[in-house]
Amino acid sequence: MDFRRLAGTTALVAVTVCCASADDIKLPGDWRGSIHGFGLVNYSVRPDLEASPQGDGLGEYGFLLADQRVQLKLEAHSPKGAVSLLAKPEFFYDAVDEEFGADLREGYLDFSHKAWDMRVGRQILTWGVGDLVFINDVFPKDYAAFFSGRPIEYLKLGVDAVDVNFQSDTLSAELVVIPAGLFTPDSLPSRSRFFQFDPFPTLPRETDKPAATVENVETALRLYRTVADTELSLYAYHGFWRSGAFKTDDPTAPTRAIKFFPDLAVFGASARRSGLGGVWGAEVGYYDSLGDRRGTDPTIENSQFRFLVTCQRQLAQDFTGSLEYYGEWMQDYAAYRRSLPSGFPSRTELRDLIGLRLTKLLRYQTLKLSLFTFYSPQARDCFLNPEISYNFTDRLWAALGGNIFGGLGDSFFGRLGRDDNVYVAVRYSF
């Protein structure tokens, strides 16, 4: 790999884009627009280099991430603001896989008329009250990016959808429709970069996404309003398990492993309000596993009841803390245990997590010290994410942090124990 060519290419793209940035651009038809963006350099590496999977590029030296990218933010709006558009294309070089690439982070059209708003295109959606815990937020996540040290914004993936909002004092509603054929799964840690349990280590992989048929249209509905200073929401979703499941083509003599996405329905509610010196929240959801309601298919997740309570408050000047308790209660647990194949790790009936976030701002709020942790009393595993970041200017910041996994070998975080990593990110906005 020629680092000089890489550095030159990245610098050229960044300089070209920076020179093109502008706050107010006159467009045809009296439209106005702007161009902004950022350049980001982001690396993460395992401290134990000898434990790293072998691979091309920097992967053989223990790097989970070696990413340089430029993102543009292009905006335009009509004279009266009734129609607007936004696009966030990204251009990057992945030095682990030694690949150049491009992606559309977001790209959509907005239409507004009185109490109605509609957004069409690739967009990032966030529902619910949890901190890195998602119950009724059924939209795609990039856990591989999060666990390898990318900025927190990259945990969420864009979804190609139509989002319709209606606002009223009585009851507001948001309807999201994802057309068939545009299903976006979660991005999970890959076998090429992370150590993890693999039930089919020698079989080639194949992915079977939901077909582009009418019955595979995804729909998500949120009804919400504020009552007595409390934000209340009801949710419903019909679609698929985004994390997917694996099965083999032949149970007796398999030749390949097939990743598929079982049918799923979710029904839930959330509440959030301020009081007692903090902000309190609660959320519940029932995951109806439509493809295995009796819990007898070991390849498909059982139905689950999920719940969350959370509180955030200021502990001192420029020092905030939040605490949350989250649980997943598996339904038909006895059937799950009976159908579990020999040699597969067993899950507990209740999977719970205690989440803690502490944030301290120093030096006129330019220096931030933060710590986020998960601990599961049932599984006895944990995750720690300490980070220090500094804003050198309004445009330039850098962060140094780590992702630390611990627990028993067959627990969720325990299986990632050899993937502890230290990461650094430097970002310049223009």
Side-chain angles (χ1 to χ4, degrees):
M1 180 173 56
D2 189 341
F3 284 96
R4 290 175 296 180
R5 184 171 73 88
L6 168 61
T9 302
T10 304
L12 177 61
V13 173
V15 170
T16 301
V17 173
C18 287
C19 292
S21 64
D23 286 315
D24 189 20
I25 301 173
K26 187 175 181 179
L27 301 171
D30 292 329
W31 279 53
R32 313 298 295 191
S34 64
I35 301 177
H36 292 284
F38 63 80
L40 174 67
V41 178
N42 197 184
Y43 285 77
S44 71
V45 63
R46 295 181 180 85
D48 184 3
L49 301 185
E50 295 182 356
S52 301
Q54 297 300 305
D56 297 328
L58 294 180
E60 63 178 312
Y61 300 107
F63 282 84
L64 278 170
L65 182 69
D67 184 68
Q68 301 91 42
R69 69 181 53 229
V70 173
Q71 181 188 104
L72 299 181
K73 183 179 180 181
L74 315 173
E75 295 181 284
H77 57 84
S78 64
K80 295 184 179 180
V83 182
S84 61
L85 63 86
L86 178 142
K88 292 183 179 180
E90 291 191 339
F91 309 91
F92 61 88
Y93 178 76
D94 181 347
V96 174
D97 290 336
E98 296 186 325
E99 291 181 350
F100 285 96
D103 186 29
L104 182 63
R105 177 75 176 154
E106 290 185 272
Y108 53 77
L109 279 168
D110 276 340
F111 305 92
S112 298
H113 179 70
K114 296 182 179 179
W116 293 88
D117 296 290
M118 182 170 68
R119 177 169 292 177
V120 181
R122 182 165 299 179
Q123 52 197 286
I124 293 176
L125 298 164
T126 300
W127 288 358
V129 302
D131 184 3
L132 301 185
V133 171
F134 309 102
I135 297 180
N136 294 292
D137 186 331
V138 292
F139 307 109
K141 319 293 187 304
D142 190 343
Y143 294 103
F146 176 68
F147 287 146
S148 58
R150 298 189 69 184
I152 188 64
E153 66 193 79
Y154 284 96
L155 174 60
K156 300 304 293 288
L157 289 171
V159 60
D160 299 319
V162 177
D163 183 3
V164 180
N165 271 276
F166 172 74
Q167 303 278 343
S168 78
D169 294 334
T170 303
L171 184 66
S172 299
E174 180 179 6
L175 174 66
V176 177
V177 179
I178 304 173
L182 298 180
F183 172 77
T184 302
D186 289 338
S187 178
L188 304 176
S190 66
R191 295 186 300 161
S192 62
R193 300 199 189 187
F194 289 83
F195 292 100
Q196 54 186 297
F197 172 75
D198 187 348
F200 313 109
T202 62
L203 298 182
R205 293 297 198 266
E206 180 181 303
T207 299
D208 183 14
K209 286 189 177 182
T213 56
V214 174
E215 60 267 24
N216 287 338
V217 173
E218 296 177 75
T219 54
L221 176 66
R222 178 171 71 108
L223 304 175
Y224 59 99
R225 67 165 296 176
T226 299
V227 179
D229 297 324
T230 303
E231 300 173 13
L232 301 174
S233 295
L234 295 174
Y235 308 89
Y237 168 75
H238 185 274
F240 308 92
W241 289 95
R242 293 194 185 276
S243 57
F246 277 102
K247 63 182 178 181
T248 59
D249 57 337
D250 187 337
T252 58
T255 61
R256 66 184 186 277
I258 303 169
K259 185 174 185 178
F260 67 106
F261 302 90
D263 293 340
L264 173 68
V266 180
F267 306 94
S270 69
R272 177 163 47 193
R273 67 166 297 152
S274 58
L276 302 176
V279 178
W280 299 79
E283 188 171 355
V284 295
Y286 181 73
Y287 277 52
D288 187 357
S289 189
L290 301 176
D292 184 31
R293 279 181 160 165
R294 294 185 299 174
T296 57
D297 188 340
T299 67
I300 299 177
E301 289 272 9
N302 282 28
S303 297
Q304 301 172 359
F305 177 72
R306 300 186 179 187
F307 58 91
L308 167 73
V309 290
T310 178
C311 175
Q312 178 182 357
R313 64 178 301 171
Q314 182 170 321
L315 304 176
Q317 183 176 0
D318 292 329
F319 183 35
T320 59
S322 65
L323 184 66
E324 60 186 358
Y325 180 74
Y326 165 78
E328 294 178 6
W329 178 23
M330 183 189 298
Q331 307 299 291
D332 301 304
Y333 186 69
Y336 160 77
R337 289 300 301 269
R338 288 193 300 267
S339 63
L340 188 68
S342 176
F344 278 53
S346 175
R347 293 174 51 185
T348 57
E349 185 174 6
L350 175 66
R351 163 70 172 172
D352 59 355
L353 288 172
I354 298 173
L356 172 68
R357 183 183 293 277
L358 300 173
T359 304
K360 175 64 176 177
L361 300 177
L362 301 166
R363 296 182 61 85
Y364 305 102
Q365 299 187 344
T366 60
L367 177 64
K368 182 171 75 172
L369 307 177
S370 67
L371 173 67
F372 182 84
T373 67
F374 273 137
Y375 173 71
S376 173
Q378 289 289 335
R380 297 183 181 179
D381 62 348
C382 64
F383 166 70
L384 291 87
N385 173 219
E387 183 180 278
I388 178 171
S389 62
Y390 185 70
N391 293 331
F392 296 94
T393 68
D394 291 340
R395 295 174 177 262
L396 177 65
W397 64 258
L400 174 67
N403 293 305
I404 304 168
F405 309 92
L408 301 177
D410 60 351
S411 63
F412 178 76
F413 292 126
R415 291 196 294 269
L416 294 169
R418 289 185 291 174
D419 293 306
D420 294 345
N421 60 82
V422 177
Y423 63 84
V424 61
V426 180
R427 172 169 160 167
Y428 180 77
S429 302
F430 50 83

